[in-house]
Amino acid sequence: MKLFFALLAGGILLHLTTDTCAQGGKFSLSAGPRTDQLFSTVIRSSAFMSSDSLSDVEKRAGKVGEEAMKICCEKVKNDKRRIWYVSTRNGRMIMQLMGIYTRETLLFFHLSLSNRSYLDYDMDSIRFFIADKGGKDVSPKRTELVPVYVYGNTQRIRGKSREPSVIALRRFTLPPGKRLLIEAREKNGGRHLQLQADNGPLVRARLI
């Protein structure tokens, strides 16, 4: 009798163990797709975060769009004069550097051209150079800086008028022995203008 009950109990235990293992197998199989789905979600989230990070890097790299540059130039144009000692004149034409501003990897130069004569000033070009410091008899070696964006009237300054303009360049500073030249040349005329500046105004550029 005892042997019968022992055999019966062993059979019951074996059946329970088999069911448990089978159920465990079912759980492990059903967990596979859930795990894959979770892993896929994590990958997608990581990729999305990487995209956001890349966008932030691009912003920090100075990729300012055209509309943003226009807004910056409007702010600069409406600001008051910040630099009082960088100016030049030829006849009754006057060019002034009103201020230097910065945003991201750009520098914004606020210029003013005043025509105090009755003769219109037809502009051929406004150009920026990094040049060697040298005497008047020495022709300086010059490297031209190409503008990224030009805002304002840089074509004709009518008689008895003043025209502000804002020119954006990639950010830079001057190495030792160098200076910044800003030149405005008159088309079919001789009223050429040239400004000179050192590192002082550049390193004091105001944040937009």
Side-chain angles (χ1 to χ4, degrees), residues 127-139:
R127 302 171 72 183
F128 288 70
F129 300 93
I130 294 178
D132 293 335
K133 292 181 179 178
K136 294 182 179 180
D137 298 332
V138 178
S139 179

Side-chain angles (χ1 to χ4, degrees), residues 78-95:
N78 294 326
D79 194 20
K80 63 183 181 180
R81 186 175 182 180
R82 300 289 182 175
I83 299 174
W84 293 89
Y85 56 91
V86 182
S87 64
T88 188
R89 67 186 301 158
N90 186 343
R92 300 181 69 83
M93 284 297 304
I94 300 173
M95 181 165 65

